[in-house]
Amino acid sequence: MTTTTSDLPEAGTVRLVDHLAAELARAGVTHMFGVGGANIEDLYDAVHRGGAIRGVVAKHEFSAVTMADGYARTTRRLGVVAATSGGGAMNLVPGLAEAHASRVPVLALVGQPPTGQEGHGAFQDSSGKGGSFDAGEVFTPISRFCARVEDADSLMDLLPRALAAAQTDPRGPAVLLLPKDVQQARIRLPGLGSAPTPGVPTSAPTASAARLDGTALAEVSDVLRGADRVLVIAGEGVAAADARAELAELARSLGAWVAVTPDAKDVFDNRDPRFAGVAGVMGHANVQDCLRRADVCLLVGTRLPLLARGGLERALAATEVVSLGPERPFVAGAALGGDLRDALRAVTGLLPSRSHACPQHSGPLPTPMPGPVSPAAGGRTVPYAQAVAAVEAALPQDAHVFVDAGNAGASAIHLLPAPRHGRFVVAVGMGGMGYTFGAGIGAALATGRRTYVLAGDGAFFMHGTEVHTAVEYAAPVTFVIFNNNAHAMCVLREEFLQGGVRSDDLFGRTDIAAGVAAAFPSLDVTGAENAAQLRKALSRSNTGGGPAFVAVDCDPQEIPPFLPFQSFAEATGSNENADSKESSDERRIVPVG
């Protein structure tokens, strides 16, 4: 490759950004999400002129990252986000932190001021020169790869490295810092003129499967062959590896119960007789009961973080644990690393060739919950259980579901079965409120499927203006807002932990549906007053091609199925009638939320 600095285009040359856009298309990228600005506008121009990638303009860079995140989680392709320098770049940080924590492959292309202005008082300078901070030092801790593209030639080395780092276990974000003059540089490439096919990679995937360790394979297989009762706890890694079929086959061979982590509800059929429920602080008591009865607990595609193991620690300590997945879990036990699909197939191949039913169990019965701490005064509210049941009745089985943080999210994780042929995504890496608005849009635009976003009013007020993006791009997203006019999880913590002396997180009533309807006259908006109206509005949204918005009022004092709150309620006598087999030690306050 050669570079020219002439202001006039030279025959047989392209801008570096044109080459970059073409290479992304060759890698299978179909969408680029972001917010424009002076130091990234050349890339947007190249994407527009190239035509192989669709540029999507978000309202905020955090949501642009989550769009790329949702795109990646539903397509298993690399998500791409682009942002300008300064505040635009810094707004990427929480979204990239989520992708890093949840192992989601995202490439961030971040504009920078021209190299000649670095250290000389450039607007939005983050070169680390002349007293400015270094953007590389900001992004490095939350990325698998971060580099500043100092000149056009260096991109030829840095881009493949970034793509490989994002898509190799442990996966996560890669960041390229692109000065404006480098983006504009003209380069000559051999074979210029070949056009990529949109969405079809022209080379093999960059991530290569690590060879399985024979000793670890034998150890894990021996443990499983000797077990009469096995509980499998499966995580998001199963979805990332597209290993659902292999998981189901192993469960049949073992005659095992199967539980899932809160962020992986879709990796095993929730209606299968083997399904034990959700593990951890938003989960089902049946999982703990199966774990107590099990000889072995097999972790598949999960490190079992606190949200997934809260309330299970004593039973885990008394049970032999083995694991399959590229990263060692947080609990001790024999571990088989490497490619998850290969590991599942290898272990299944070493088990007796048979399929048998799992031992009897109660299944994922909902946890009995007490009534609101102090019911909301005035107005009509819909209990979470009724609202979630309405969602379940309307939800298409090929839809994607994105669940936001908060009391409504905990209720959905506990109560709503995952669609059989769609994703059920919860961003538990950083747990950022408002994640779902961008992520749901990214998933819907990438797959064309109806996508449900389930969020509270707190999340809506953070990033719900991305509804504008859904309207602009006619994304098939149904936004369902559980409006309790509060940061209700904080309200309950204040009630239980601090005596309820503050009301900072209780707000005056807001008619979100009316506000959204006024802002977007073309949008199908419903303010549902009861579960029947909610179900009707959701069913109607399924028949349309674009977005829809439904809000329903809930009680901020209603206690969701969240283990810390159950512990608090029991400690204060609010749950005297709840049937629980757990000891006081096992029902202790879990330090999350």
Side-chain angles (χ1 to χ4, degrees), residues 2-146:
T2 58
T3 306
T4 177
T5 57
S6 172
D7 291 334
L8 296 176
E10 181 180 343
T13 66
V14 297
R15 295 174 300 173
L16 179 135
V17 287
D18 296 312
H19 171 67
L20 174 56
E23 288 301 299
L24 292 176
R26 292 178 196 280
V29 174
T30 58
H31 292 69
M32 183 182 78
F33 306 94
V35 180
N39 286 328
I40 201 65
E41 63 190 2
D42 297 284
L43 178 57
Y44 278 94
D45 180 68
V47 165
H48 174 75
R49 291 174 184 274
I53 295 175
R54 186 182 190 188
V56 177
V57 176
K59 307 288 95 60
H60 191 281
E61 290 84 1
F62 169 78
S63 291
V65 181
T66 68
M67 289 177 194
D69 179 304
Y71 172 102
R73 294 199 205 213
T74 51
T75 65
R76 299 184 58 248
R77 294 198 297 264
L78 178 73
V80 177
V81 61
T84 194
S85 51
M90 295 302 98
N91 284 340
L92 297 172
V93 169
L96 293 178
E98 167 60 38
H100 182 278
S102 292
R103 310 310 194 237
V104 181
V106 171
L107 174 64
L109 302 170
V110 185
Q112 297 285 280
T115 55
Q117 298 177 11
E118 293 175 351
H120 297 286
F123 180 59
Q124 299 181 333
D125 189 359
S126 57
S127 64
K129 302 174 183 178
S132 66
F133 74 91
D134 188 340
E137 293 183 357
V138 174
F139 290 115
T140 293
I142 54 172
S143 63
R144 304 300 176 193
F145 180 85
C146 179

Side-chain angles (χ1 to χ4, degrees), residues 450-543:
R450 175 58 50 181
T451 300
Y452 275 48
V453 165
L454 309 182
D457 55 304
F460 171 79
F461 285 122
M462 288 189 180
H463 291 286
T465 50
E466 293 301 336
V467 170
H468 181 279
T469 309
V471 171
E472 286 291 300
Y473 292 91
V477 182
T478 300
F479 299 97
V480 187
I481 309 303
F482 300 81
N483 181 15
N484 50 34
N485 296 291
H487 289 163
M489 189 166 279
C490 297
V491 169
L492 291 176
R493 289 183 63 85
E494 291 157 10
E495 176 72 27
F496 289 125
L497 288 174
Q498 299 175 335
V501 297
R502 293 192 291 118
S503 59
D504 311 54
D505 290 298
L506 283 168
F507 313 133
R509 185 178 184 277
T510 304
D511 191 340
I512 294 177
V516 170
F520 304 104
S522 66
L523 181 63
D524 180 3
V525 179
T526 301
E529 296 183 357
N530 53 54
Q533 290 182 11
L534 175 59
R535 177 179 178 177
K536 181 178 179 180
L538 296 177
S539 297
R540 185 175 67 248
S541 78
N542 297 335
T543 63

Side-chain angles (χ1 to χ4, degrees), residues 186-214:
R186 300 198 67 84
I187 59 177
R188 178 178 286 107
L189 298 169
L192 185 65
S194 59
T197 301
V200 180
T202 57
S203 59
T206 56
S208 59
R211 186 180 299 275
L212 298 178
D213 181 273

